[in-house]
Amino acid sequence: MKTFEYDILSFQVKKQKDYDAMRSALNERGAEGWEVITAEAGDYGYTTFLKRESSRKKAGSE
């Protein structure tokens, strides 16, 4: 059975250059196998929720 791990990233976005920094951080995570599953806009920026398949196997799945 596949297992997943999750991460949460928060970004303050006040200027256009902040979007560039956000894009860069998400591209770095993407290169590590992370996938954004959702993003929420708030008063001060964005919170993104990511997942990737874990290398750990659930007990009894072999």
Side-chain angles (χ1 to χ4, degrees), residues 1-61:
M1 170 186 277
K2 289 183 181 181
T3 58
F4 296 92
E5 59 183 325
Y6 299 89
D7 200 2
I8 300 168
L9 299 177
S10 296
F11 300 96
Q12 275 195 328
V13 178
K14 295 182 180 181
K15 299 177 182 175
Q16 185 62 38
K17 69 177 184 163
D18 296 333
Y19 286 106
D20 294 336
M22 181 178 168
R23 184 179 303 109
S24 177
L26 291 173
N27 282 331
E28 286 177 24
R29 290 300 181 113
E32 296 170 356
W34 292 96
E35 176 182 8
V36 174
I37 53 176
T38 190
E40 296 181 5
D43 292 337
Y44 300 104
Y46 292 89
T47 301
T48 59
F49 299 87
L50 302 95
K51 78 172 187 177
R52 71 176 172 185
E53 191 170 343
S54 176
S55 58
R56 294 179 284 162
K57 297 286 185 185
K58 186 175 180 181
S61 65

